[in-house]
Amino acid sequence: MNAERQEVKVKRVSSRKRSIDNLKCLLTPATKRGGGPCLQQCPQNRRVSSIMADGQEAEYCSDNEDLFGDYDSFLEDSSVLAKLDDAEQNARQHDIQPSVHSNAVVHPNPESLQPSEKDPEKKQACGNTLTDSILDALGDEPFEDVPASQLQFQEQVLQSVKRSRLQDEDKTSTPFRAAGGNSETAPEANTEGRTKKLTKARKSMAEQLKRTMLCNAASPAVLSRSVTLKEAVVSEEISVAMQAMETISTETPDLGPFFGLPSKVKDLMYTLKGIKSLYDWQETCLNLDCVQARKNLIYSLPTSGGKTLVAEILILRELLCRKKDCLFILPYISLVQEKVRGLASFGLELDFMVEEYAGSKGKFPPVKRRNKVSLYIATIEKAHSLVNSLIECGRIENLGLVVVDELHMLGDGSRGSVIEMTLAKVLYMSKTTQVIGMSATLGNIKDLQTFLRAENYTNDFRPVQLKEYVKLRDTIYEVEPKEEECFRFSRLLNFKYSSSMQKIDPDHIIALVAEVIPTHSCLVFCPTKKNCENVAVMICKYLKEEFLRHKEDKKAVLLRELKDSGNGSVCPVLRKTVPYGLAYHHSGLTSEERKLVEEAYSSGVLCLLTCTSTLAAGVNLPARRVILRSPYVATDFLKRSQYKQMVGRAGRAGIDTVGESILILQDKDRDMAKSLVSAPMENCFSNLMHNDGKGLLSLILSLIGLNITTSLEQVREFLKGTLLYVQQGHLCAQKSIWEEVQQCVDLLQDKGLITVTMDSHGQTMQVTKLGKATYKGSVDLTYSDVLYKDLSIGLDGLLLNSYLHLVYLVTPYDIISQCKPDWMTYFRQFSLLSVAEQKMSAAVGVPESFVARKAAGQTVKKSANMEVVSRMYLALVLFTLLKETNLWNVAEKFQLSRGFIQTLLSSSSAFCSCVLHFTEELEEFWPFKALLTELTRRLSYCVRAELIPLMEVVGVMESRAKQLHNAGYKTLAHLANADPAALCKTIDNLFKKQASQIVASAKMLVNEKAAALQEEVDDLLMIPLDLPTPSETDKLA
């Protein structure tokens, strides 16, 4: 008998209801799903919807009667529960009657729905409608677009089915089916019990269905599962974080699975750095409660423990999650440049700016970006100037995180005082900026915690085990600080020395290095620069010829690169040592030579470096064995921190299983060495009082200039947040800190840098124009009045047809004492000057007659200021270098080391930038602004003008710039759009990683310049906030 199609009249009221066509599901009648009449074919797996589809016409009259609230009835019939009750009652009546098979189900309309007796197969197939068809309908296809409570109902029913089918055949109320779908009748026995169970099962199912539907009716409308899933796939990682993020929340939102960062960051860590996983201590540190709550933190680990990676992850969290700028403070220019190169690729991939603040580079205040955040990577001095500029323009709150590497340098003279000033200002002016400090293990870490209001995390983890040894005569002892003697016998040196060899190498350095090279790497720390070169040459004399054949081709390439960097000249020492795989490393090398040597050592082309202690504090160059040639640095005995920093270079993570350090001792040094290896770590003390309180003077001047303080009381309040205040009991024993402050204020007033006035509220302090120029130019207070005097004199007869006068004015005062003039060279170079240039020299106090008499060895009747004379000599060195741009030739002419000239050049470039900022604050020096801007650029690169755009890219030195220029890459845009693979093929000796870093740095620089120009455009096009309204204009009229 055919089932008739039902007509359902539905009155729609709520606009939130969805189209029923989109909601066809398994509970919708088969006829409405386009399946044709259901009872004619009587499918094997009957749906409960087919039972309820027949009956009287139902009219859906009122929205008030809709039990489903914002949901439509899936059957378009509001009497679904009543029909279900009727079906159950009929089923119970039928079940009470004895039946052999008990598999006929009574329908709401028995006459129309009862199968024919003549069709036993159809009758048998239709018999399981109310039981199995319901259960199977729920299991055949997944539900779509249904509320959560219905899903829960489905899961419960399916679990019930599984439990029932695990029971015995004769205990179940549902017939089993064969694979083909035909039902088998249950045994006749226990019919009454089966009927009761059947009724109970049906009853509980109906009640549960009613309960579920009523819950759905009471629940608020939700989006469909499909829409929700699509949205979740698109924004799964970001949406979770944003729900928890509040506008002024101190917590960092969670953007993904990698310590709150998206998975992309983890992928980049592997792609760009080769890091697959973190050490346990790194994970522990990143998950600390104080880190999650954005509290300040100091964490201390041995050298090479992986401290920097933790800092980088925290920086990325701040940039990406909280959208705040970050400041990363590093001690040396080389480290800043290395970090800029390494993080530029992250900036491009994750859409933030990486800006370099080192030497003469850096804009004050930094460009204010509306759509991007910035990571400022700065040296100690530049970081202080940057913080000052942010405070002055009211943007310090935009700085979300400050990370300080080598925090223990707080105790390092004048540079330590600059770090303290920077951090104290950040802590005082911004309550939302987090401070993270990486430090070596210190004895008084509690003082630093109090100063920074920080938690402390300490771990002694090293990725590679370190074994410390000392050598006395021909015996090696293992260091055991816990034992009384400190040293425990390990072994004797097994190396035969001839008598002549014993004289040349009494410390058995050759024997110690021959045990590891060339298979493994070795560092030999020497007390002086000259000793580095001598030791490298000495070792080469006694190495076998097989060392020459080890990586011979690559060493030949290195020599060619060194020759190119020196414009055809190669250091004679390196020419001898590089073929053996050895080189020296100290400040006497040019920056390009150092870079080439470091890269060759890292790649294994060089297996041994002889170096000074500065290498331990600079670029990370680990080794299998570290040898300390002597327990001295120059003439000073090693400090515990210096020793730990050097031996910490032993052991290369991922390469070596163990690292070794060997300290070579003489008998006279044995007792001091015991103290060195067993003593606790040194304490770190404030240096604001260093050098007669110069740091405190500078701090007070900048506080007044930035309007942070205008009275003595406010100065005192600020100083309570300094390390000096924490340690005043130790550092201010003779004179109280407040007496020191009063003395500094008086001195600043005497120098004309501040004014003090009295009013009804007490003293008011204000900075003068000279004082403002001094702190904004970061000029040493010792030289501020001298600089002002020199610039004033210079204005009277400024020589504009030559750079000599300007170069003299920007030659640093503090480097004068490091060089004594060679009088014959002085006179020879002086004679080459033009008449105008010689007149200028005489005007500043260095006449030709004075230099001539000195060169001839005659007595000078009229004395001259020797500081001015020495400064002019250095100015001549710089002037010659700017004209020739060949550092080797200039070093030879003036009989100076090329390393010293490189240092002079970089110091002059930085000081020129300081003088430029100094003159910008003083109206009378307006002509210097344009002149010094160009001179700063020339001194920063000191190359031919066409190479300067390429030299702006971090990591591109002069020889590389020449290669790129000759290959057709002549502009920054050329490099930014270059293919790294093509660069490697075009440029000799350029590796893929180096090429990628160059391209990434160029792109970042282009983005930075473009963003700065775009900001200017936006500012020009923006409607002024203070634009007068028509009403205001009328009033004025």
Side-chain angles (χ1 to χ4, degrees):
M1 191 176 293
N2 293 342
E4 297 178 0
R5 182 182 296 273
Q6 286 227 31
E7 291 184 15
V8 182
K9 298 177 182 179
V10 181
K11 179 182 177 182
R12 303 282 180 200
V13 175
S14 174
S15 62
R16 296 173 61 188
K17 295 186 179 181
R18 299 165 292 172
S19 171
I20 210 70
D21 294 331
N22 297 330
L23 294 175
K24 301 296 189 210
C25 67
L26 296 175
L27 291 179
T28 306
T31 56
K32 295 184 182 294
R33 289 184 283 122
C38 67
L39 292 184
Q40 272 191 340
Q41 300 178 10
C42 194
Q44 295 169 353
N45 294 331
R46 285 288 295 275
R47 306 281 194 263
V48 69
S49 54
S50 64
I51 304 169
M52 299 177 187
D54 272 321
Q56 299 297 320
E57 177 179 317
E59 182 174 345
Y60 179 47
C61 300
S62 171
D63 220 29
N64 296 329
E65 295 176 9
D66 186 2
L67 294 175
F68 297 95
D70 283 343
Y71 285 91
D72 292 313
S73 168
F74 290 101
L75 302 179
E76 302 186 12
D77 191 345
S78 60
S79 60
V80 60
L81 295 178
K83 290 188 176 185
L84 184 61
D85 286 337
D86 292 340
E88 289 179 356
Q89 290 174 7
N90 292 334
R92 280 196 293 271
Q93 290 174 6
H94 178 76
D95 287 338
I96 292 172
Q97 300 173 6
S99 174
V100 176
H101 298 291
S102 292
N103 58 353
V105 179
V106 180
H107 290 264
N109 191 344
E111 294 180 2
S112 63
L113 298 177
Q114 186 67 32
S116 173
E117 294 291 340
K118 296 179 181 178
D119 194 353
E121 290 182 4
K122 186 179 293 186
K123 179 179 179 181
Q124 187 178 17
C126 295
N128 305 324
T129 305
L130 187 59
T131 54
D132 292 327
S133 65
I134 293 176
L135 303 179
D136 293 338
L138 292 171
D140 288 345
E141 298 175 8
F143 277 97
E144 293 181 4
D145 297 337
V146 294
S149 55
Q150 289 185 5
L151 292 176
Q152 184 182 7
F153 169 70
Q154 176 195 13
E155 293 171 359
Q156 292 173 352
V157 171
L158 289 175
Q159 290 174 2
S160 175
V161 172
K162 290 178 183 177
R163 284 196 301 269
S164 65
R165 289 184 177 175
L166 288 174
Q167 295 175 358
D168 258 347
E169 215 174 333
D170 54 328
K171 291 184 180 180
T172 183
S173 63
T174 306
F176 287 97
R177 292 172 224 224
N182 296 328
S183 50
E184 298 176 3
T185 57
E188 292 181 8
N190 203 12
T191 303
E192 184 180 353
R194 186 173 70 250
T195 303
K196 289 181 180 179
K197 290 176 184 177
L198 177 63
T199 306
K200 184 177 179 182
R202 288 170 178 164
K203 180 72 175 176
S204 62
M205 193 189 315
E207 287 174 354
Q208 196 162 10
L209 183 57
K210 290 177 187 177
R211 262 199 324 271
T212 303
M213 295 169 77
L214 288 170
C215 287
N216 290 342
S219 66
V222 295
L223 291 173
S224 67
R225 283 185 65 212
S226 59
V227 173
T228 306
L229 287 174
K230 286 177 183 176
E231 291 177 352
V233 169
V234 174
S235 60
E236 179 183 357
E237 293 178 342
I238 297 179
S239 62
V240 174
M242 292 310 175
Q243 290 172 4
M245 187 175 182
E246 297 178 4
T247 311
I248 55 172
S249 173
T250 57
E251 296 183 1
T252 302
D254 187 357
L255 291 189
F258 187 65
F259 302 100
L261 289 164
S263 301
K264 184 177 182 180
V265 176
K266 185 177 182 180
D267 297 337
L268 288 173
M269 285 288 179
Y270 177 67
T271 306
L272 300 176
K273 289 178 170 284
I275 297 171
K276 292 183 179 178
S277 59
L278 273 64
Y279 297 128
D280 290 343
W281 83 263
Q282 291 171 327
E283 294 197 7
T284 301
C285 186
L286 287 167
N287 289 314
L288 290 173
D289 291 340
C290 62
V291 174
Q292 300 300 323
R294 294 191 70 255
K295 294 182 180 177
N296 298 343
L297 174 71
I298 302 170
Y299 60 100
S300 310
L301 278 97
T303 303
S304 303
K307 296 191 289 289
T308 307
L309 180 60
V310 171
E312 289 176 0
I313 291 174
L314 292 174
I315 286 171
L316 291 175
R317 279 174 58 176
E318 195 70 22
L319 292 167
L320 303 182
C321 301
R322 300 191 71 247
K323 301 294 182 185
K324 292 286 188 178
D325 297 332
C326 297
L327 172 59
F328 198 170
I329 304 175
L330 296 160
Y332 304 111
I333 294 176
S334 59
L335 293 178
V336 169
Q337 293 174 339
E338 181 189 27
K339 194 58 62 182
V340 169
R341 283 197 305 271
L343 292 177
S345 298
F346 282 90
L348 291 173
E349 292 289 339
L350 301 171
D351 198 30
F352 63 85
M353 305 301 296
V354 178
E355 301 183 38
E356 179 185 354
Y357 280 78
S360 61
K361 292 187 177 180
K363 185 174 177 62
F364 302 104
V367 176
K368 187 176 182 180
R369 308 187 191 282
R370 293 185 180 87
N371 302 318
K372 280 192 177 183
V373 288
S374 294
L375 167 58
Y376 310 116
I377 304 179
T379 56
I380 293 169
E381 294 75 16
K382 286 289 183 178
H384 185 225
S385 299
L386 179 64
V387 167
N388 282 346
S389 68
L390 290 173
I391 291 173
E392 187 174 31
C393 64
R395 289 166 47 194
I396 191 65
E397 294 287 345
N398 293 340
L399 196 61
L401 175 65
V402 175
V403 175
V404 186
D405 193 13
E406 310 291 354
L407 184 64
H408 52 269
M409 287 186 71
L410 275 165
D412 185 17
S414 59
R415 303 195 82 201
S417 67
V418 176
I419 298 175
E420 184 174 350
M421 286 188 273
T422 305
L423 295 178
K425 288 174 183 175
V426 170
L427 292 169
Y428 187 82
M429 294 301 296
S430 175
K431 304 305 178 187
T432 59
T433 303
Q434 184 184 16
V435 176
I436 301 289
M438 296 180 278
S439 171
T441 307
L442 295 173
N444 63 337
I445 197 73
K446 291 286 184 184
D447 286 354
L448 271 64
Q449 283 184 252
T450 305
F451 162 45
L452 295 177
R453 302 188 283 279
E455 303 285 337
N456 180 41
Y457 176 80
T458 304
N459 197 304
D460 58 358
F461 170 82
R462 277 186 54 86
V464 178
Q465 181 188 2
L466 172 63
K467 291 186 177 180
E468 297 178 40
Y469 300 93
V470 297
K471 188 192 85 66
L472 274 164
R473 299 191 183 92
D474 59 351
T475 308
I476 304 293
Y477 299 89
E478 187 172 357
V479 175
E480 287 290 345
K482 294 180 181 179
E483 292 189 5
E484 185 176 349
E485 287 297 314
C486 286
F487 306 138
R488 184 177 65 194
F489 174 80
S490 177
R491 63 186 174 92
L492 291 172
L493 268 179
N494 185 22
F495 199 88
K496 295 180 181 179
Y497 268 44
S498 63
S499 57
S500 60
M501 194 172 175
Q502 182 70 35
K503 291 179 181 177
I504 293 173
D505 182 25
D507 295 326
H508 306 99
I509 294 174
I510 298 171
L512 293 173
V513 302
E515 291 177 345
V516 289
I517 63 170
T519 310
H520 300 288
S521 56
C522 183
L523 293 176
V524 181
F525 284 102
C526 303
T528 65
K529 289 186 285 187
K530 190 61 179 174
N531 191 237
C532 287
E533 299 175 30
N534 293 339
V535 168
V537 172
M538 177 196 71
I539 294 173
C540 288
K541 283 182 180 179
Y542 293 94
L543 290 179
K544 298 176 181 177
E545 287 190 6
E546 63 189 51
F547 280 85
L548 293 171
R549 294 189 291 273
H550 183 72
K551 297 188 177 182
E552 188 174 1
D553 295 342
K554 293 183 178 179
K555 287 185 284 193
V557 169
L558 174 60
L559 280 173
R560 282 203 305 272
E561 290 180 327
L562 288 168
K563 187 175 181 180
D564 291 341
S565 72
N567 291 313
S569 302
V570 181
C571 169
V573 174
L574 291 178
R575 190 186 293 111
K576 290 179 184 176
T577 61
V578 166
Y580 287 92
L582 277 66
Y584 68 90
H585 185 289
H586 58 60
S587 60
L589 293 171
T590 65
S591 56
E592 192 158 1
E593 285 175 320
R594 281 200 298 271
K595 185 170 180 286
L596 289 170
V597 167
E598 289 164 4
E599 288 176 351
Y601 178 80
S602 297
S603 61
V605 176
L606 298 176
C607 58
L608 184 144
L609 294 182
T610 57
C611 49
T612 54
S613 59
T614 53
L615 181 136
V619 179
N620 186 19
L621 296 175
R624 171 64 176 269
R625 176 174 289 181
V626 170
I627 299 171
L628 278 67
R629 168 77 176 75
S630 165
Y632 292 88
V633 173
T635 56
D636 300 324
F637 199 81
L638 276 178
K639 296 178 183 177
R640 169 80 172 167
S641 57
Q642 290 174 317
Y643 169 76
K644 278 296 183 184
Q645 203 164 41
M646 292 181 191
V647 302
R649 296 298 182 197
R652 296 165 298 172
I655 300 174
D656 299 326
T657 55
V658 67
E660 303 171 334
S661 71
I662 300 175
L663 172 61
I664 298 175
L665 296 175
Q666 308 302 323
D667 288 330
K668 64 183 179 65
D669 299 321
R670 180 167 185 154
D671 291 338
M672 292 180 70
K674 286 181 181 179
S675 301
L676 177 68
V677 298
S678 60
M681 295 300 293
E682 290 101 345
N683 293 332
C684 175
F685 293 105
S686 168
N687 273 270
L688 286 180
M689 299 305 299
H690 175 73
N691 199 0
D692 298 326
K694 189 185 291 185
L696 185 59
L697 267 173
S698 297
L699 174 59
I700 293 173
L701 175 62
S702 63
L703 291 178
I704 298 169
L706 293 168
N707 287 321
I708 297 174
T709 59
T710 57
S711 67
L712 272 176
E713 285 302 318
Q714 290 177 334
V715 171
R716 290 174 181 173
E717 188 64 30
F718 179 93
L719 288 177
K720 289 179 181 178
T722 62
L723 181 61
L724 175 63
Y725 182 82
V726 175
Q727 299 174 334
Q728 59 178 318
H730 178 80
L731 299 175
C732 302
Q734 297 179 347
K735 192 184 295 184
S736 74
I737 188 172
W738 311 127
E739 291 176 322
E740 295 283 1
V741 168
Q742 185 62 60
Q743 185 175 324
C744 287
V745 169
D746 294 341
L747 185 56
L748 290 172
Q749 194 174 5
D750 293 342
K751 281 180 168 283
L753 301 175
I754 65 169
T755 60
V756 180
T757 57
M758 295 294 297
D759 55 24
S760 58
H761 301 288
Q763 282 187 342
T764 300
M765 298 182 294
Q766 288 183 317
V767 70
T768 62
K769 287 185 177 181
L770 178 60
K772 188 175 183 181
T774 301
Y775 86 79
K776 290 198 76 171
S778 300
V779 176
D780 192 322
L781 293 180
T782 309
Y783 307 118
S784 62
D785 50 348
V786 179
L787 177 61
Y788 182 84
K789 183 180 177 181
D790 286 343
L791 291 172
S792 299
I793 295 172
L795 269 183
D796 293 340
L798 188 61
L799 184 65
L800 294 177
N801 62 353
S802 168
Y803 272 119
L804 181 60
H805 199 171
L806 286 173
V807 167
Y808 170 78
L809 292 173
V810 300
T811 301
Y813 295 101
D814 55 359
I815 206 171
I816 294 172
S817 60
Q818 298 179 27
C819 176
K820 292 183 178 180
D822 179 279
W823 295 109
M824 281 304 299
T825 303
Y826 203 158
F827 180 70
R828 194 180 304 117
Q829 295 302 318
F830 196 95
S831 302
L832 296 175
L833 297 176
S834 67
V835 176
E837 288 167 345
Q838 289 184 4
K839 284 183 178 179
M840 183 280 298
S841 178
V844 298
V846 188
E848 182 184 11
S849 57
F850 175 84
V851 178
R853 286 179 175 277
K854 279 287 188 180
Q858 298 176 1
T859 305
V860 180
K861 297 179 180 179
K862 189 177 180 180
S863 62
N865 185 333
M866 287 308 298
E867 285 190 358
V868 173
V869 172
S870 297
R871 194 179 185 209
M872 177 56 74
Y873 184 70
L874 294 178
L876 279 174
V877 174
L878 289 169
F879 180 62
T880 307
L881 187 59
L882 282 176
K883 287 195 298 184
E884 296 189 15
T885 70
N886 189 326
L887 194 146
W888 281 80
N889 290 347
V890 175
E892 189 176 344
K893 282 182 181 180
F894 286 87
Q895 296 299 303
L896 295 170
S897 74
R898 60 193 185 281
F900 174 78
I901 294 179
Q902 179 89 65
T903 303
L904 173 64
L905 183 63
S906 58
S907 297
S908 300
S909 170
F911 187 60
C912 186
S913 178
C914 292
V915 175
L916 173 59
H917 294 304
F918 181 88
T919 57
E920 285 176 340
E921 299 302 320
L922 298 166
E923 293 179 5
E924 59 266 36
F925 294 144
W926 65 266
F928 285 114
K929 183 176 180 179
L931 296 170
L932 293 179
T933 300
E934 178 58 25
L935 182 60
T936 301
R937 191 164 178 259
R938 291 289 302 274
L939 289 171
S940 297
Y941 305 107
C942 197
V943 293
R944 300 197 315 266
E946 63 267 24
L947 298 180
I948 289 179
L950 300 175
M951 294 278 288
E952 288 180 345
V953 179
V954 178
V956 176
M957 299 293 185
E958 184 179 1
S959 61
R960 185 72 75 200
K962 288 177 180 177
Q963 285 181 311
L964 291 167
H965 191 272
N966 294 336
Y969 298 96
K970 299 181 179 181
T971 66
L972 194 58
H974 285 159
L975 274 186
N977 293 283
D979 177 17
L983 275 181
C984 292
K985 293 177 182 178
T986 309
I987 307 300
D988 292 337
N989 312 318
L990 182 64
F991 300 112
K992 180 69 179 293
K993 183 179 179 181
Q994 295 171 320
S996 298
Q997 287 184 341
I998 288 173
V999 172
S1001 297
K1003 284 181 178 177
M1004 182 59 68
L1005 200 54
V1006 167
N1007 290 348
E1008 186 180 329
K1009 292 186 175 185
L1013 292 172
Q1014 186 60 51
E1015 294 291 335
E1016 287 187 31
V1017 171
D1018 292 344
D1019 288 340
L1020 284 172
L1021 297 178
M1022 185 180 292
I1023 299 174
L1025 297 175
D1026 57 351
L1027 183 67
T1029 60
S1031 58
E1032 291 176 351
T1033 309
D1034 293 341
K1035 289 178 182 177
L1036 291 173

